[in-house]
Amino acid sequence: SMISFENDYPTGAHPRILEALAATNFEPASGYGTDRFCASATERIRAACDDPAADVFFLVGGTQTNAVVISSLLAGYEGVIAADTGHIAVHEAGAIEATGHKVIALPEHDGKLRAAEVAAYLDTFYANETHEHMVFPGMVFIAHPSELGTLYSLAELEELSAVCRRFHIPLYLDGARLSYGLAAPESDVTLPDIARLTDAFYIGGTKNGALFGEALVLKQPLERFRWHMKQRGAILAKGRTMALQFQALLEDGLYFEIARHANDMAIRLRDGMSALGYEFPIPSPSNQQFPVLPNTVARRLEEMGYQFEEERVIDENHTCVRFVTSWATPQSAVDEFLRDLAACK
């Protein structure tokens, strides 16, 4: 049987989401996110963020959300600062640049930006007498968890937020995998912390048990933001489909329950592989794990039907690979994998 550790969306959606969609299927609702489901999901998200004044919008996917938010918040001559491993810098086919905005890549540290380095970049920019000839750094983009599964601490987020406030530019947080970050045992960051310290962020649905959908939270209502969305094809006529999914996820803590399970499976996988002598150069506490495998072992596992992604080449005989778990990863699959891996030794 094929077992996928390729990503956190290899299956459809959590059954409770499908139930919510089926239960309301024949009820007519107005279009384009103006229905009662969107209104009630918006209130639920505001309450979860402890921010009654926040603006909430539902978009279909992460790349779309990043492109709409970044292009809407930036002036035409501005760019966005990101870690050089950042999703917008590496894995969005130049979506941000296609909107006319440069991604300014700074060095990553376990996938994260350092506040001091962001401040130094901004200070250097302002100190340069010819800076009107340069791309103006108009925003800072981070992901939590990062693309390498690592987490910002509350202190790190507060430092980044303070830098952005000092330079009067927005801090935008990509929350494609936000639940896994919030549910990690070592995390000291809550959803209200993120709402307080960022100017915009999204609560990921696609990678957290939904069929699709991301819930964007804007601290300050952005005038005519829906026109930006519409122009970029980001207003779904059946907005209800996303709202209902977030209703189901945020009811009874399902969102965090899903994430805790995926994290537990990832840590079980990591600890089992570590016990077999495999190394994890990136210290991820969430549902993405990055072991180094001999290429011969990686090939054996692929022949057995396991799916996972290559992260980067270590040397001619070793590759750092990525294993990802989800709400749908059974413990039996992890244990079966560990038995098969032990047999590869």
Side-chain angles (χ1 to χ4, degrees):
S1 64
M2 197 257 322
I3 295 177
S4 176
F5 293 108
E6 194 172 7
N7 54 48
D8 28 26
Y9 41 95
T11 50
H14 192 280
R16 268 158 65 182
I17 285 176
L18 297 178
E19 284 162 19
L21 290 166
T24 55
N25 194 44
F26 290 102
E27 182 186 324
S30 56
Y32 307 104
T34 58
D35 58 89
R36 74 172 185 89
F37 305 114
C38 286
S40 104
T42 293
E43 285 312 316
R44 196 174 279 271
I45 288 166
R46 284 173 175 155
C49 294
D50 197 16
D51 188 351
D55 244 352
V56 178
F57 300 92
F58 300 99
L59 293 91
V60 175
T63 296
Q64 180 195 62
T65 305
N66 289 339
V68 173
V69 171
I70 292 169
S71 64
S72 306
L73 287 174
L74 293 182
Y77 51 83
E78 289 180 321
V80 53
I81 293 172
D84 53 18
T85 45
H87 207 261
I88 59 171
V90 184
H91 271 129
E92 296 190 358
I96 306 306
E97 288 87 348
T99 67
H101 300 280
K102 184 182 176 77
V103 176
I104 302 161
L106 295 188
E108 54 88 20
H109 303 273
D110 285 334
K112 299 187 287 182
L113 283 176
R114 284 206 177 134
E117 291 178 10
V118 173
Y121 181 87
L122 288 159
D123 278 327
T124 305
F125 171 83
Y126 278 102
N128 188 322
E129 286 173 9
T130 68
H131 72 265
E132 69 180 43
H133 300 276
M134 298 157 70
V135 173
F136 196 102
M139 174 192 283
V140 173
F141 166 96
I142 56 173
H144 181 81
S146 77
E147 288 71 18
L148 301 182
T150 54
L151 305 180
Y152 285 91
S153 66
L154 183 57
E156 287 172 328
L157 275 183
E158 281 174 338
E159 283 169 25
L160 274 168
S161 184
V163 169
C164 290
R165 303 270 191 272
R166 175 155 75 89
F167 287 95
H168 304 290
I169 61 175
L171 177 60
Y172 170 51
L173 185 146
D174 176 325
R177 294 190 165 92
L178 187 56
S179 65
Y180 306 113
L182 295 172
E186 44 268 70
S187 168
D188 62 348
V189 174
T190 65
L191 198 52
D193 287 330
I194 286 170
R196 174 173 58 87
L197 294 169
T198 65
D199 298 279
F201 72 95
Y202 70 89
I203 300 170
T206 304
K207 294 178 177 176
N208 306 263
L211 284 168
F212 56 87
E214 325 298 327
L216 171 67
V217 180
L218 295 180
K219 191 201 283 299
Q220 302 294 332
L222 193 63
E223 198 188 1
R224 302 187 181 141
F225 183 70
R226 278 175 60 89
W227 274 264
H228 288 288
M229 287 175 64
K230 183 66 184 182
Q231 196 175 65
R232 303 222 178 269
I235 290 187
L236 194 65
K238 298 185 185 183
R240 64 185 288 161
T241 53
M242 293 183 288
L244 280 158
Q245 296 184 73
F246 280 97
Q247 278 284 79
L249 284 171
L250 292 171
E251 238 158 18
D252 310 325
L254 178 63
Y255 192 64
F256 300 101
E257 194 184 302
I258 283 176
R260 273 193 296 274
H261 170 78
N263 286 349
D264 288 348
M265 293 305 100
I267 300 310
R268 187 178 185 89
L269 185 88
R270 182 193 71 192
D271 292 349
M273 291 183 78
S274 295
L276 292 170
Y278 293 98
E279 294 195 355
F280 291 76
I282 301 156
S284 166
S286 59
N287 74 320
Q288 301 181 82
Q289 294 297 326
F290 299 88
V292 174
L293 294 181
N295 297 341
T296 50
V297 172
R299 276 195 294 275
R300 272 295 291 119
L301 292 170
E302 281 169 345
E303 284 161 11
M304 291 175 181
Y306 291 104
Q307 292 187 317
F308 48 89
E309 280 187 359
E310 283 189 11
E311 182 63 23
R312 64 179 194 277
V313 172
I314 299 289
D315 59 39
E316 57 189 33
N317 298 315
H318 296 83
T319 304
C320 180
V321 300
R322 184 183 78 155
F323 282 80
V324 190
T325 54
S326 77
W327 67 270
T329 306
Q331 188 178 310
S332 57
V334 174
D335 294 345
E336 184 185 330
F337 167 77
L338 292 170
R339 282 194 299 274
D340 286 344
L341 180 64
C344 290
K345 273 286 195 195

